Amino acid sequence: MSSAQKTALVTGGSRGIGAAISTRLAADGFSVVVNYAGNAQAAQSLVDTITQNGGQAIAVQADVADPVQVAALFEQAQTAFGVPNVVVNSAGVLKMQPVAEVDDATFDQMVAVNFKGTFNTLREAARQMPDGGRIINLSTSVVGAKLERYAIYTATKAAVESMSAILAKELRGRNITVNSVAPGPTGTDLFYEGKSDEFVAQLAKMNPLERIATPEDIAGVVSFLAGPDGGWINAQTLRANGGMV
């Protein structure tokens, strides 16, 4: 990766795991484009924290499900810091329901954000990213655990894993790696929403380390893949779940 350009674009980068990734990559020396969907205050607060700590960051609103907005997101990133040579797809929607109870709107939203949104960003990255770049997509360890009520969410993430591995092959000769990181249960607002304390405790016990991950745990894995020591990992899914599956 060129020492003259270290720019990272993080979709869904203002909250939860995305915010931890944005913060970590800024600490690693990247200029960070923090993408957000609707919460401008959270995004700007994170940018302010990064800049106060000596980093560089901007917040850019875009709905990743809209290809026009994704193209504009890349344009704004290039104007601010140059074409991103690290792209992290962290934007996602999780709604837990049995298959029989999922309505069309919920299905369409998860497919639009989790699957098509990732596709939109990967397409722009494949077209624009300089040689030697890194692409990192967020999946879920439920692809392996296959927990009830996660069917649609898990299906969108399984699609992301397959698309990532194929894109890695399509980028042959450009020294661009494409990998997925599949967190297990991670302590974010998105994770805790709608879950009882008993269910959270049950999930924590599913891995031998017997705890819920922190967003920083996942950010560390992304940092490795984006950094100099992660260059030989390609077309893989890293299950960051404490041994759950």
Side-chain angles (χ1 to χ4, degrees):
M1 189 174 299
S2 170
S3 60
Q5 178 189 14
K6 287 188 66 173
T7 302
L9 167 60
V10 183
T11 71
S14 65
R15 301 176 67 188
I17 292 174
I21 292 170
S22 296
T23 301
R24 176 61 183 267
L25 293 180
D28 290 345
F30 288 90
S31 299
V32 180
V33 179
V34 179
N35 161 251
Y36 67 97
N39 193 331
Q41 182 176 357
Q44 190 57 52
S45 177
L46 178 62
V47 167
D48 291 343
T49 298
I50 289 172
T51 56
Q52 288 164 10
N53 289 328
Q56 291 192 93
I58 60 168
V60 180
Q61 191 278 334
D63 177 1
V64 295
D66 182 346
V68 174
Q69 293 188 42
V70 170
L73 170 63
F74 272 76
E75 289 177 6
Q76 291 182 67
Q78 180 174 3
T79 299
F81 301 128
V83 178
N85 51 357
V86 169
V87 172
V88 181
N89 282 301
S90 181
V93 176
L94 168 60
K95 294 187 178 180
M96 297 169 50
Q97 288 180 307
V99 169
E101 298 178 12
V102 177
D103 59 30
D104 290 344
T106 298
F107 178 91
D108 290 345
Q109 182 187 26
M110 282 196 278
V111 170
V113 175
N114 299 350
F115 184 25
K116 186 181 179 183
T118 300
F119 162 74
N120 288 336
T121 309
L122 293 182
R123 180 169 56 184
E124 291 299 326
R127 291 172 174 174
Q128 299 187 36
M129 179 175 281
D131 292 355
R134 309 284 173 81
I135 299 172
I136 303 152
N137 299 317
L138 270 290
S139 179
T140 174
S141 285
V142 185
V143 171
K146 296 177 175 60
L147 301 179
E148 295 94 337
R149 303 176 66 206
Y150 284 86
I152 310 308
Y153 177 73
T154 302
T156 63
K157 293 299 189 176
V160 166
E161 290 185 13
S162 296
M163 186 166 56
S164 301
I166 293 169
L167 178 59
K169 295 180 179 181
E170 293 177 349
L171 295 176
R172 179 184 298 272
R174 293 177 57 184
N175 196 30
I176 297 173
T177 64
V178 188
N179 293 290
S180 298
V181 174
T186 305
T188 66
D189 291 343
L190 179 67
F191 167 74
Y192 286 117
E193 184 178 353
K195 295 182 177 69
S196 67
D197 292 342
E198 292 77 12
F199 185 53
V200 170
Q202 178 185 347
L203 291 174
K205 291 288 186 179
M206 289 181 68
N207 71 74
L209 302 181
E210 296 190 337
R211 68 173 177 87
I212 300 296
T214 67
E216 289 72 24
D217 289 326
I218 311 307
V221 180
V222 172
S223 172
F224 163 70
L225 291 173
D229 293 331
W232 194 235
I233 310 298
N234 194 23
Q236 304 301 311
T237 296
L238 300 188
R239 305 264 184 243
N241 57 39
M244 181 184 78
V245 64

